[in-house]
Protein backbone atom coordinates (compact mmCIF):
# COMPACT_ATOMS: atom_id res chain seq x y z
CA UNK A 1 0.00 0.00 0.00
CA UNK A 2 1.51 3.31 -1.08
CA UNK A 3 2.00 6.09 1.40
CA UNK A 4 0.08 9.26 0.72
CA UNK A 5 2.02 12.45 0.30
CA UNK A 6 1.47 14.39 3.48
CA UNK A 7 1.31 18.18 3.60
CA UNK A 8 4.61 19.89 4.34
CA UNK A 9 3.60 20.95 7.84
CA UNK A 10 2.58 17.37 8.84
CA UNK A 11 5.66 15.81 7.31
CA UNK A 12 7.83 18.14 9.41
CA UNK A 13 6.12 17.19 12.69
CA UNK A 14 8.63 14.49 13.68
CA UNK A 15 11.49 16.96 13.27
CA UNK A 16 9.66 19.54 15.34
CA UNK A 17 8.85 17.01 18.08
CA UNK A 18 12.45 15.84 18.09
CA UNK A 19 13.61 19.41 18.61
CA UNK A 20 11.01 20.23 21.24
CA UNK A 21 11.94 17.10 23.15
CA UNK A 22 15.42 18.57 23.53
CA UNK A 23 17.38 15.63 22.18
CA UNK A 24 21.09 16.36 22.33
CA UNK A 25 21.92 15.25 18.81
CA UNK A 26 19.55 17.87 17.44
CA UNK A 27 22.06 20.71 17.58
CA UNK A 28 21.48 24.45 17.56
CA UNK A 29 22.40 24.74 13.89
CA UNK A 30 19.65 22.19 13.08
CA UNK A 31 17.04 23.83 15.28
CA UNK A 32 15.42 25.66 12.37
CA UNK A 33 13.39 22.99 10.64
CA UNK A 34 11.73 23.49 7.27
CA UNK A 35 8.70 24.73 9.19
CA UNK A 36 10.62 27.95 9.90
CA UNK A 37 12.20 28.33 6.46
CA UNK A 38 9.73 30.79 5.01
CA UNK A 39 9.73 31.30 1.26
CA UNK A 40 10.53 35.01 1.53
CA UNK A 41 13.56 34.22 3.72
CA UNK A 42 14.91 31.87 1.05
CA UNK A 43 14.39 34.59 -1.54
CA UNK A 44 16.26 37.19 0.50
CA UNK A 45 19.05 34.70 1.20
CA UNK A 46 19.53 34.37 -2.57
CA UNK A 47 19.35 38.15 -2.97
CA UNK A 48 22.10 38.55 -0.36
CA UNK A 49 24.35 36.33 -2.44
CA UNK A 50 23.53 38.46 -5.48
CA UNK A 51 24.51 41.60 -3.53
CA UNK A 52 27.74 39.91 -2.39
CA UNK A 53 28.50 39.00 -6.01
CA UNK A 54 28.10 42.66 -7.04
CA UNK A 55 30.36 43.70 -4.13
CA UNK A 56 33.03 41.26 -5.31
CA UNK A 57 32.76 42.62 -8.86
CA UNK A 58 33.28 46.12 -7.47
CA UNK A 59 36.41 44.97 -5.64
CA UNK A 60 37.77 43.24 -8.74
CA UNK A 61 37.19 46.38 -10.81
CA UNK A 62 38.96 48.49 -8.18
CA UNK A 63 42.12 46.34 -8.12
CA UNK A 64 42.15 45.29 -11.79
CA UNK A 65 44.49 48.10 -12.90
CA UNK A 66 46.91 47.31 -10.08
CA UNK A 67 46.98 43.62 -10.99
CA UNK A 68 47.63 44.47 -14.65
CA UNK A 69 50.65 46.53 -13.58
CA UNK A 70 51.88 43.58 -11.51
CA UNK A 71 51.71 41.31 -14.57
CA UNK A 72 53.63 43.89 -16.60
CA UNK A 73 56.44 43.74 -14.05
CA UNK A 74 56.62 39.94 -14.01
CA UNK A 75 54.17 37.12 -14.67
CA UNK A 76 55.10 35.25 -11.49
CA UNK A 77 54.75 38.46 -9.50
CA UNK A 78 51.36 39.01 -11.13
CA UNK A 79 50.04 35.58 -10.17
CA UNK A 80 51.43 36.05 -6.67
CA UNK A 81 49.55 39.31 -6.27
CA UNK A 82 46.36 37.68 -7.60
CA UNK A 83 46.69 35.01 -4.90
CA UNK A 84 47.36 37.64 -2.24
CA UNK A 85 44.35 39.65 -3.41
CA UNK A 86 42.13 36.54 -3.29
CA UNK A 87 43.26 35.84 0.29
CA UNK A 88 42.63 39.45 1.34
CA UNK A 89 39.17 39.42 -0.25
CA UNK A 90 38.38 36.18 1.55
CA UNK A 91 39.54 37.52 4.92
CA UNK A 92 38.17 41.06 4.81
CA UNK A 93 35.04 40.69 2.66
CA UNK A 94 33.80 37.10 2.38
CA UNK A 95 34.61 36.06 5.96
CA UNK A 96 32.72 38.93 7.67
CA UNK A 97 29.65 38.31 5.49
CA UNK A 98 29.69 34.54 6.07
CA UNK A 99 30.08 35.00 9.83
CA UNK A 100 27.05 37.29 9.90
CA UNK A 101 24.92 35.05 7.66
CA UNK A 102 25.48 31.99 9.85
CA UNK A 103 25.10 33.73 13.20
CA UNK A 104 22.28 32.94 15.61
CA UNK A 105 18.94 34.59 15.01
CA UNK A 106 15.42 34.82 16.36
CA UNK A 107 12.32 33.59 14.54
CA UNK A 108 9.87 36.49 14.58
CA UNK A 109 7.53 36.06 11.59
CA UNK A 110 5.51 32.90 12.19
CA UNK A 111 1.90 31.87 11.98
CA UNK A 112 -0.13 30.75 14.99
CA UNK A 113 0.28 27.03 14.25
CA UNK A 114 4.06 27.38 14.66
CA UNK A 115 3.97 29.86 17.53
CA UNK A 116 4.82 27.42 20.34
CA UNK A 117 7.62 25.87 18.34
CA UNK A 118 9.05 29.34 17.60
CA UNK A 119 8.88 30.29 21.29
CA UNK A 120 10.89 27.23 22.28
CA UNK A 121 13.40 27.77 19.52
CA UNK A 122 13.81 31.45 20.41
CA UNK A 123 14.31 30.63 24.10
CA UNK A 124 17.03 28.17 23.16
CA UNK A 125 18.61 30.83 20.94
CA UNK A 126 18.42 33.34 23.80
CA UNK A 127 20.26 30.93 26.11
CA UNK A 128 22.95 30.39 23.47
CA UNK A 129 23.37 34.15 23.04
CA UNK A 130 23.53 34.67 26.81
CA UNK A 131 26.19 31.96 27.22
CA UNK A 132 28.23 33.47 24.38
CA UNK A 133 28.13 36.97 25.93
CA UNK A 134 29.14 35.69 29.37
CA UNK A 135 31.85 33.44 27.91
CA UNK A 136 33.35 36.28 25.86
CA UNK A 137 33.44 38.74 28.73
CA UNK A 138 34.84 36.13 31.14
CA UNK A 139 37.72 35.17 28.83
CA UNK A 140 41.02 36.73 30.07
CA UNK A 141 42.11 37.16 26.46
CA UNK A 142 39.30 39.68 25.95
CA UNK A 143 40.10 41.73 29.04
CA UNK A 144 40.76 44.90 27.02
CA UNK A 145 37.60 44.47 24.95
CA UNK A 146 35.03 43.57 27.60
CA UNK A 147 31.82 45.54 27.28
CA UNK A 148 29.54 43.73 29.74
CA UNK A 149 29.77 44.83 33.36
CA UNK A 150 30.53 42.20 36.00
CA UNK A 151 27.19 42.85 37.68
CA UNK A 152 25.15 42.19 34.55
CA UNK A 153 27.28 39.20 33.58
CA UNK A 154 26.63 37.70 37.03
CA UNK A 155 22.88 38.25 36.63
CA UNK A 156 22.88 36.47 33.28
CA UNK A 157 24.98 33.60 34.65
CA UNK A 158 22.70 33.21 37.68
CA UNK A 159 19.61 33.13 35.46
CA UNK A 160 21.21 30.49 33.23
CA UNK A 161 22.19 28.32 36.19
CA UNK A 162 18.76 28.56 37.81
CA UNK A 163 17.00 28.05 34.45
CA UNK A 164 14.76 30.98 35.32
CA UNK A 165 13.27 32.09 32.02
CA UNK A 166 11.83 35.36 33.33
CA UNK A 167 15.09 36.29 35.07
CA UNK A 168 17.12 35.53 31.93
CA UNK A 169 14.84 37.64 29.76
CA UNK A 170 15.07 40.51 32.25
CA UNK A 171 18.86 40.29 32.55
CA UNK A 172 19.38 40.17 28.78
CA UNK A 173 17.00 43.06 28.19
CA UNK A 174 18.87 45.14 30.76
CA UNK A 175 22.23 44.24 29.21
CA UNK A 176 21.10 45.16 25.70
CA UNK A 177 19.60 48.48 26.77
CA UNK A 178 22.77 49.51 28.64
CA UNK A 179 26.20 47.92 28.14
CA UNK A 180 25.69 46.28 24.75
CA UNK A 181 23.90 49.29 23.29
CA UNK A 182 26.64 51.66 24.48
CA UNK A 183 29.35 49.39 23.11
CA UNK A 184 27.61 49.22 19.73
CA UNK A 185 27.45 53.02 19.73
CA UNK A 186 31.20 53.24 20.34
CA UNK A 187 31.80 50.81 17.46
CA UNK A 188 29.70 52.99 15.16
CA UNK A 189 31.52 56.17 16.15
CA UNK A 190 34.92 54.53 15.78
CA UNK A 191 34.12 53.18 12.32
CA UNK A 192 32.75 56.55 11.23
CA UNK A 193 36.00 58.16 12.40
CA UNK A 194 38.05 55.67 10.38
CA UNK A 195 35.95 56.34 7.28
CA UNK A 196 36.42 60.10 7.72
CA UNK A 197 40.18 59.82 8.19
CA UNK A 198 40.89 57.45 5.28
CA UNK A 199 38.64 59.06 2.68
CA UNK A 200 39.74 62.59 3.55
CA UNK A 201 43.43 61.70 3.23
CA UNK A 202 43.50 59.22 0.32
CA UNK A 203 42.26 61.50 -2.51
CA UNK A 204 41.80 58.39 -4.67
CA UNK A 205 38.37 57.22 -5.76
CA UNK A 206 39.19 53.48 -5.69
CA UNK A 207 40.84 53.68 -2.30
CA UNK A 208 37.84 55.61 -0.96
CA UNK A 209 35.35 53.07 -2.30
CA UNK A 210 37.30 50.07 -0.95
CA UNK A 211 37.89 51.74 2.42
CA UNK A 212 34.20 52.50 2.95
CA UNK A 213 33.24 49.00 1.80
CA UNK A 214 35.66 47.26 4.18
CA UNK A 215 34.83 49.51 7.13
CA UNK A 216 31.09 49.06 6.67
CA UNK A 217 31.31 45.27 6.34
CA UNK A 218 33.51 45.07 9.42
CA UNK A 219 31.12 47.32 11.36
CA UNK A 220 28.12 45.11 10.57
CA UNK A 221 30.07 42.03 11.70
CA UNK A 222 31.21 43.72 14.92
CA UNK A 223 27.72 44.90 15.88
CA UNK A 224 26.22 41.46 15.19
CA UNK A 225 29.02 39.93 17.26
CA UNK A 226 28.37 42.33 20.13
CA UNK A 227 24.64 41.52 20.24
CA UNK A 228 25.23 37.81 19.66
CA UNK A 229 22.65 37.35 16.91
CA UNK A 230 21.87 38.64 13.45
CA UNK A 231 18.74 40.25 11.96
CA UNK A 232 16.57 38.43 9.45
CA UNK A 233 17.76 37.80 5.89
CA UNK A 234 15.37 40.44 4.58
CA UNK A 235 16.92 43.07 6.83
CA UNK A 236 20.44 41.84 6.11
CA UNK A 237 19.78 42.27 2.40
CA UNK A 238 18.81 45.89 2.99
CA UNK A 239 21.96 46.42 5.04
CA UNK A 240 24.30 44.98 2.39
CA UNK A 241 22.59 46.94 -0.38
CA UNK A 242 23.20 50.08 1.71
CA UNK A 243 26.86 49.05 2.15
CA UNK A 244 27.22 48.69 -1.62
CA UNK A 245 25.54 52.06 -2.14
CA UNK A 246 27.92 53.72 0.34
CA UNK A 247 30.96 52.29 -1.47
CA UNK A 248 29.69 53.60 -4.81
CA UNK A 249 28.99 57.03 -3.34
CA UNK A 250 32.50 57.19 -1.85
CA UNK A 251 33.91 56.11 -5.23
CA UNK A 252 32.03 58.84 -7.10
CA UNK A 253 32.73 61.71 -4.70
CA UNK A 254 36.21 62.23 -6.15
CA UNK A 255 34.59 63.42 -9.39
CA UNK A 256 32.88 66.33 -7.62
CA UNK A 257 34.69 69.61 -6.96
CA UNK A 258 33.19 70.44 -3.59
CA UNK A 259 35.08 73.72 -3.36
CA UNK A 260 33.15 74.99 -6.39
CA UNK A 261 29.89 73.62 -5.01
CA UNK A 262 30.37 75.60 -1.79
CA UNK A 263 32.26 78.41 -3.53
CA UNK A 264 29.97 81.16 -2.28
CA UNK A 265 31.07 80.39 1.29
CA UNK A 266 34.75 80.88 0.40
CA UNK A 267 34.72 84.25 -1.31
CA UNK A 268 37.24 86.97 -0.56
CA UNK A 269 40.02 86.14 1.89
CA UNK A 270 39.23 82.44 2.05
CA UNK A 271 40.02 82.00 -1.65
CA UNK A 272 43.56 83.31 -1.01
CA UNK A 273 44.37 80.58 1.52
CA UNK A 274 46.73 78.02 -0.04
CA UNK A 275 45.24 74.57 -0.75
CA UNK A 276 41.84 75.62 0.61
CA UNK A 277 40.15 73.84 -2.31
CA UNK A 278 41.89 70.55 -1.48
CA UNK A 279 41.06 70.99 2.21
CA UNK A 280 37.39 71.58 1.47
CA UNK A 281 37.17 68.59 -0.89
CA UNK A 282 38.88 66.29 1.62
CA UNK A 283 36.72 67.44 4.52
CA UNK A 284 33.45 67.01 2.63
CA UNK A 285 34.42 63.59 1.30
CA UNK A 286 35.43 62.44 4.77
CA UNK A 287 32.28 63.83 6.36
CA UNK A 288 30.00 62.15 3.82
CA UNK A 289 31.77 58.79 4.24
CA UNK A 290 31.57 59.08 8.01
CA UNK A 291 27.86 59.92 7.87
CA UNK A 292 27.09 56.99 5.56
CA UNK A 293 29.03 54.64 7.85
CA UNK A 294 27.10 55.97 10.84
CA UNK A 295 23.83 55.22 9.02
CA UNK A 296 24.93 51.62 8.35
CA UNK A 297 25.73 51.10 12.02
CA UNK A 298 22.52 52.74 13.17
CA UNK A 299 20.44 50.68 10.75
CA UNK A 300 22.08 47.42 11.86
CA UNK A 301 21.54 48.26 15.52
CA UNK A 302 17.93 49.28 14.86
CA UNK A 303 17.16 46.02 13.04
CA UNK A 304 18.70 43.93 15.82
CA UNK A 305 16.68 45.73 18.50
CA UNK A 306 13.55 45.37 16.39
CA UNK A 307 13.96 41.59 16.06
CA UNK A 308 14.62 41.25 19.77
CA UNK A 309 11.45 43.16 20.63
CA UNK A 310 9.47 41.05 18.17
CA UNK A 311 10.62 37.77 19.68
CA UNK A 312 9.75 39.15 23.14
CA UNK A 313 6.28 40.04 21.90
CA UNK A 314 5.92 36.60 20.34
CA UNK A 315 6.89 35.00 23.65
CA UNK A 316 4.51 37.16 25.69
CA UNK A 317 1.52 37.58 23.39
CA UNK A 318 1.91 34.91 20.68
CA UNK A 319 1.55 35.22 16.93
CA UNK A 320 -0.77 37.64 15.23
CA UNK A 321 -3.91 35.56 14.76
CA UNK A 322 -5.44 38.16 12.46
CA UNK A 323 -2.87 37.27 9.82
CA UNK A 324 -3.76 33.59 10.19
CA UNK A 325 -7.45 34.33 9.76
CA UNK A 326 -6.75 36.22 6.55
CA UNK A 327 -4.56 33.39 5.29
CA UNK A 328 -7.16 30.71 6.09
CA UNK A 329 -9.97 32.76 4.56
CA UNK A 330 -7.96 33.23 1.37
CA UNK A 331 -7.21 29.51 1.19
CA UNK A 332 -10.90 28.68 1.69
CA UNK A 333 -11.89 31.14 -1.04
CA UNK A 334 -9.42 29.57 -3.49
CA UNK A 335 -10.72 26.09 -2.70
CA UNK A 336 -14.30 27.23 -3.23
CA UNK A 337 -13.40 28.70 -6.61
CA UNK A 338 -11.75 25.43 -7.66
CA UNK A 339 -14.80 23.45 -6.58
CA UNK A 340 -17.08 25.73 -8.62
CA UNK A 341 -14.83 25.42 -11.66
CA UNK A 342 -15.08 21.60 -11.47
Amino acid sequence: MKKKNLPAELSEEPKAKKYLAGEEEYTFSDSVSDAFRQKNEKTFFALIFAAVFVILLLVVAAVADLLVLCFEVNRIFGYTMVAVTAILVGVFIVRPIVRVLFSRFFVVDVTADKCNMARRRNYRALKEVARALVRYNADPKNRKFRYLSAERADKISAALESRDRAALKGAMKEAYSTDVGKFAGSLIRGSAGKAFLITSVSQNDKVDGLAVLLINLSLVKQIVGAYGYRPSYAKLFRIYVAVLRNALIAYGMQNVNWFNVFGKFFAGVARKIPFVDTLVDSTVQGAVSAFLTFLIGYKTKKYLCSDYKKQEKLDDEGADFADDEVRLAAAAARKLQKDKAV
Side-chain angles (χ1 to χ4, degrees):
M1 187 175 180
K2 294 183 178 179
K3 292 183 179 180
K4 294 182 178 179
N5 292 328
L6 295 175
E9 291 179 5
L10 294 179
S11 63
E12 290 158 358
E13 189 175 358
K15 275 189 176 182
K17 287 183 177 178
K18 185 178 180 182
Y19 170 66
L20 297 181
E23 297 183 19
E24 293 182 0
E25 63 267 26
Y26 206 55
T27 61
F28 179 85
S29 59
D30 299 325
S31 63
V32 184
S33 66
D34 289 338
F36 289 132
R37 296 186 185 278
Q38 304 293 337
K39 184 178 179 181
N40 62 334
E41 284 291 281
K42 292 181 180 180
T43 301
F44 280 110
F45 186 74
L47 288 174
I48 288 173
F49 271 94
V52 172
F53 180 73
V54 175
I55 289 174
L56 292 177
L57 286 181
L58 178 65
V59 174
V60 171
V63 301
D65 293 341
L66 178 61
L67 293 178
V68 170
L69 290 176
C70 293
F71 275 102
E72 290 178 357
V73 173
N74 185 281
R75 178 168 293 185
I76 297 176
F77 180 67
Y79 283 119
T80 302
M81 291 305 298
V82 169
V84 171
T85 302
I87 293 173
L88 293 176
V89 168
V91 172
F92 294 105
I93 296 179
V94 176
R95 184 170 174 266
I97 294 174
V98 170
R99 289 190 64 178
V100 170
L101 286 178
F102 292 97
S103 297
R104 305 172 189 88
F105 65 99
F106 293 113
V107 176
V108 293
D109 297 319
V110 294
T111 52
D113 57 329
K114 301 183 182 72
C115 182
N116 289 333
M117 191 161 34
R119 284 172 171 173
R120 292 176 181 265
R121 188 248 175 235
N122 285 344
Y123 180 54
R124 187 172 180 178
L126 183 64
K127 290 191 292 184
E128 290 287 335
V129 171
R131 291 192 189 100
L133 290 180
V134 172
R135 192 183 308 118
Y136 177 86
N137 286 273
D139 192 341
K141 297 179 181 178
N142 303 323
R143 186 175 302 170
K144 295 181 179 180
F145 307 101
R146 289 174 182 169
Y147 56 92
L148 203 63
S149 66
E151 179 185 355
R152 293 189 177 91
D154 290 341
K155 285 184 179 180
I156 296 173
S157 298
L160 287 170
E161 291 176 2
S162 63
R163 299 182 180 181
D164 189 334
R165 184 168 184 159
L168 179 61
K169 289 172 60 179
M172 290 297 290
K173 186 175 182 179
E174 181 183 355
Y176 281 135
S177 61
T178 54
D179 294 343
V180 179
K182 291 179 181 178
F183 180 67
S186 67
L187 291 174
I188 294 171
R189 291 189 294 272
S191 296
K194 290 178 184 177
F196 176 86
L197 182 63
I198 294 175
T199 55
S200 61
V201 172
S202 72
Q203 296 299 299
N204 182 283
D205 51 1
K206 295 179 181 178
V207 172
D208 289 352
L210 280 176
V212 170
L213 177 65
L214 295 177
I215 291 171
N216 285 189
L217 290 177
S218 177
L219 177 60
V220 173
K221 185 200 72 174
Q222 290 175 7
I223 295 176
V224 169
Y227 276 84
Y229 63 95
R230 65 162 175 82
S232 65
Y233 285 143
K235 292 173 181 176
L236 272 180
F237 172 69
R238 298 188 190 104
I239 290 172
Y240 285 129
V241 168
V243 169
L244 180 60
R245 178 203 62 200
N246 289 0
L248 292 174
I249 291 175
Y251 178 82
M253 281 195 299
Q254 287 288 343
N255 299 322
V256 180
N257 190 322
W258 296 102
F259 180 75
N260 291 336
V261 172
F262 299 104
K264 61 181 180 180
F265 298 105
F266 301 99
V269 178
R271 287 184 175 273
K272 299 179 181 179
I273 300 176
F275 307 111
V276 67
D277 54 343
T278 302
L279 179 63
V280 170
D281 288 345
S282 299
T283 303
V284 173
Q285 290 163 14
V288 172
S289 297
F291 178 71
L292 293 175
T293 301
F294 179 84
L295 289 181
I296 286 292
Y298 174 76
K299 180 177 290 189
T300 304
K301 182 179 176 181
K302 177 184 176 182
Y303 285 160
L304 288 169
C305 294
S306 174
D307 277 5
Y308 190 82
K309 289 179 181 178
K310 283 184 179 180
Q311 69 87 21
E312 275 192 321
K313 183 178 180 181
L314 179 68
D315 193 42
D316 296 335
E317 303 176 13
D320 191 349
F321 288 89
D323 292 342
D324 293 333
E325 291 173 0
V326 172
R327 178 177 58 82
L328 293 173
R334 288 194 296 268
K335 187 176 183 302
L336 183 62
Q337 289 178 353
K338 289 181 180 179
D339 291 342
K340 286 183 179 180
V342 173

